[in-house]
Amino acid sequence: MKLKDIIQAVAVNETAGSTEKEIAGIHMDSRCIEKDFLFVAVKGTQTDGHDYIDKAIEKGATAVVCEVFPTNIVPEVTYIKVNSTEDSVGKLATAFYGNPTSKLDLIGVTGTNGKTTIATLLYNMFRSFGYKAGLISTVCNYIDGEAIPTEHTTPDPITLNSLLGRMADEGCKYVFMEVSSHSVVQKRIGGLTFAGGIFTNLTRDHLDYHKTFENYLKAKKTFFDNLPKNAFALTNADDKNGLVMVQNTKAKVSTYSLRTLCDFKGKVLEDGFEGMLMDINNREVNVQFIGRFNALNLLAVYGAACLLGKQPEEVLIALSTLRPVSGRFDALRSPKGYTAIVDYAHTPDALTNVLNAIHEVLNGRGQVITVVGAGGNRDKGKRPIMAQEAVKQSDKVVITSDNPRFEEPQDIINDMLAGLSKEDMRKVVSIVDRKEAIRTACMLAQNGDVILVAGKGHENYQEIKGVKHHFDDKEVLKDIFESEN
């Protein structure tokens, strides 16, 4: 594609050199530059791309988008000056990859909890309807049935547009995507056109990055502010921030709720560890999920599918066949008669939701034993709150390591324990080794009890001192169950 066609997507202040040249690729990482690439010098939180312009040219870049022209201009290279490279990179990538969201319907799911479940269930549902579909999520990206491993909830704008371009080329009609607050602030979704947006809920998370809850809320709200007029905005009316999210959107607003009048109304009629009987808009449906938080997730899926033109009866039949996402309320039955549940819950609110769901089903007929930790190099403020929530709703708690990253595991555990009273500590034990922590919980459990292993869910690694070591909560539990036979 010619450079002049790519840069039409952004407001150019000044150019030096020819814009008639052919561009073979685009990137914001100088290490990924190849012959005839366009390099976008983005000022990041850690590094400034302007410091790597010479390196990008050495690797083969023939054009550079920057905010300030470098002092040593290379005659064969074209330089394009813009006000903000961070704001421009997504738009340039969208142009280079042929504006993929003009060829498919992109639905964004944002909020603190539930994003992965809703996006994945919509992807599975629309594939069951016979459509080719794409998924961009925390667990894995999919181009129809092809798995593409993922590193971030929302990829960088180059990777994202490349992925969407492939999805469009391979005939995907719908793409369901988790939209993180980071991706909104860092303009990773700049240049994309969304056909719809879904809001799940908003609770404390990522304050290590956003600093205040208000900034976190604004990041989520900006996504809805930028939706086009012909898109839909589906919001959770049970969340106190649900209507705040959509108060300035141009999109058509719809609501879902378990408690109040809305467009997509639900009620849990019966529940058990095998699933729930729900009423959705006065129709009953059996689903293979449990807990009010999952009931809300399913309402969001139902509402979005209806807003995308599917018939309610068709959507309800599909809902009844869907299974929980890997690492989200994954239940395993022990030979000793207790149930172990593996869940990704890594925020206070998510932990509360899962424990509430367990209590709804148990109804006082067994003990709840929770294994929980907190991630290193992340929001330290939520650590004592996580411990408090676990203790409040559990008969016994084992506090352990999660992904300590570059912190000392014991320091993280101490931060969690600091939130507990002497009375709380009577039902708490701390064990740094996560495998031993899970084993201890299993030894404490009796017939009819429930163990919740929280925090890692689908993850099959533990990150220690920058190295990812293989670790899978479900594998550990299965090994323990085998020894119980």
Side-chain angles (χ1 to χ4, degrees):
M1 182 182 278
K2 285 204 183 300
L3 178 59
K4 66 176 183 182
D5 297 324
I6 299 169
I7 62 173
Q8 278 184 0
V10 297
V12 175
N13 292 339
E14 191 180 344
T15 60
S18 171
T19 59
E20 290 292 332
K21 58 181 63 170
E22 285 288 330
I23 297 297
I26 176 172
H27 223 287
M28 51 197 276
D29 185 338
S30 61
R31 295 167 297 185
C32 300
I33 294 294
E34 296 176 27
K35 189 176 184 298
D36 296 329
F37 265 43
L38 168 63
F39 175 63
V40 188
V42 176
K43 289 179 177 174
T45 52
Q46 305 295 325
T47 57
D48 184 350
H50 291 75
D51 298 335
Y52 296 90
I53 290 174
D54 289 344
K55 187 150 214 185
I57 292 168
E58 279 174 32
K59 298 257 311 195
T62 52
V64 174
V65 173
C66 50
E67 294 174 17
V68 180
F69 282 167
T71 49
N72 53 327
I73 296 285
V74 178
E76 299 80 24
V77 175
T78 303
Y79 298 85
I80 299 108
K81 190 194 286 185
V82 296
N83 284 336
S84 167
T85 47
E86 183 181 60
D87 188 50
S88 301
V89 64
K91 297 168 186 172
L92 293 165
T94 294
F96 179 79
Y97 287 104
N99 193 10
T101 51
S102 67
K103 303 165 192 167
L104 47 79
D105 285 343
L106 177 63
I107 313 302
V109 188
T110 196
T112 306
N113 303 310
K115 297 187 294 295
T116 301
T117 293
I118 292 168
T120 305
L121 293 183
L122 280 166
Y123 161 78
N124 289 333
M125 177 182 281
F126 275 77
R127 288 193 76 214
S128 77
F129 291 151
Y131 296 101
K132 284 192 171 184
L135 174 67
I136 300 171
S137 86
T138 308
V139 178
C140 192
N141 300 324
Y142 283 92
I143 301 176
D144 206 27
E146 182 191 351
I148 312 288
T150 180
E151 285 293 319
H152 301 283
T153 301
T154 313
D156 69 77
I158 310 286
T159 306
L160 186 53
N161 278 279
S162 171
L163 198 55
L164 288 165
R166 279 189 62 193
M167 289 174 177
D169 291 345
E170 296 190 25
C172 289
K173 164 71 176 151
Y174 298 98
V175 176
F176 303 99
M177 170 182 168
E178 292 184 50
V179 176
S180 68
S181 52
H182 292 67
S183 72
V184 177
V185 173
Q186 295 169 7
K187 313 287 176 72
R188 290 187 224 159
I189 56 172
L192 303 182
T193 302
F194 286 85
I198 302 168
F199 172 71
T200 63
N201 48 64
L202 200 71
T203 59
R204 182 189 178 111
D205 200 16
H206 302 303
L207 297 198
D208 53 311
Y209 178 80
H210 295 290
K211 306 304 180 195
T212 68
F213 185 80
E214 187 182 3
N215 288 344
Y216 181 45
L217 184 149
K218 280 181 182 173
K220 299 288 189 188
K221 184 176 176 296
T222 299
F223 169 67
F224 291 95
D225 291 351
N226 292 334
L227 286 176
K229 194 163 68 172
N230 60 348
F232 69 79
L234 176 61
T235 192
N236 177 6
D238 288 352
D239 187 280
K240 64 182 178 183
N241 295 298
L243 295 177
V244 174
M245 284 292 140
V246 295
Q247 65 188 12
N248 299 115
T249 189
K250 297 181 285 293
K252 179 182 180 295
V253 175
S254 297
T255 54
Y256 64 95
S257 169
L258 290 171
R259 296 201 304 248
T260 188
L261 281 173
C262 59
D263 300 293
F264 304 104
K265 181 81 164 62
K267 185 179 182 183
V268 177
L269 303 175
E270 296 172 15
D271 57 10
F273 282 122
E274 293 74 38
M276 295 183 286
L277 175 64
M278 284 185 69
D279 179 295
I280 298 179
N281 279 7
N282 300 316
R283 293 178 175 91
E284 289 188 8
V285 59
N286 275 300
V287 294
Q288 300 173 57
F289 296 78
I290 77 164
R292 290 175 63 84
F293 69 102
N294 267 325
L296 280 165
N297 290 338
L298 292 171
L299 281 176
V301 171
Y302 174 82
C306 292
L307 291 168
L308 287 169
K310 306 313 292 179
Q311 291 301 310
E313 293 80 5
E314 188 182 12
V315 179
L316 289 173
I317 291 166
L319 270 186
S320 69
T321 66
L322 293 174
R323 294 184 58 79
V325 176
S326 173
R328 267 64 175 182
F329 219 100
D330 249 351
L332 296 87
R333 188 81 171 162
S334 154
K336 280 170 57 179
Y338 62 84
T339 300
I341 291 166
V342 174
D343 194 273
Y344 188 54
H346 61 286
T347 66
D349 185 65
L351 190 61
T352 300
N353 286 338
V354 175
L355 286 165
N356 280 339
I358 290 169
H359 282 292
E360 283 164 21
V361 178
L362 267 183
N363 200 19
R365 294 188 300 269
Q367 290 196 108
V368 177
I369 302 164
T370 299
V371 180
V372 65
N377 303 107
R378 296 292 187 269
D379 177 12
K380 290 187 177 185
K382 73 180 181 184
R383 292 175 185 174
I385 305 171
M386 293 283 286
Q388 288 162 5
E389 291 302 319
V391 167
K392 196 186 299 180
Q393 297 206 64
S394 309
D395 296 283
K396 298 183 180 79
V397 176
V398 185
I399 293 182
T400 188
S401 292
D402 192 296
N403 287 322
R405 299 186 177 90
F406 290 96
E407 285 193 69
E408 287 301 323
Q410 189 61 55
D411 292 345
I412 300 170
I413 289 171
N414 291 343
D415 285 345
M416 295 183 76
L417 295 175
L420 304 178
S421 67
K422 279 185 181 178
E423 186 68 27
D424 292 336
M425 289 298 293
R426 289 181 183 175
K427 51 169 140 171
V428 174
V429 61
S430 65
I431 301 171
V432 172
D433 186 295
R434 191 174 179 90
K435 188 179 285 188
E436 284 307 309
I438 295 170
R439 191 180 301 281
T440 300
C442 292
M443 287 168 63
L444 293 169
Q446 297 175 359
N447 183 25
D449 291 348
V450 175
I451 295 171
L452 170 62
V453 183
K456 292 181 62 59
H458 64 280
E459 291 179 351
N460 61 359
Y461 63 85
Q462 199 170 21
E463 191 177 339
I464 303 166
K465 302 294 181 190
V467 178
K468 288 184 177 180
H469 304 268
H470 180 77
F471 192 98
D472 187 313
D473 287 345
K474 281 179 74 174
E475 280 181 19
V476 172
L477 284 163
K478 285 174 182 175
D479 287 346
I480 293 168
F481 290 176
E482 273 188 30
S483 67
E484 290 175 353
N485 275 317

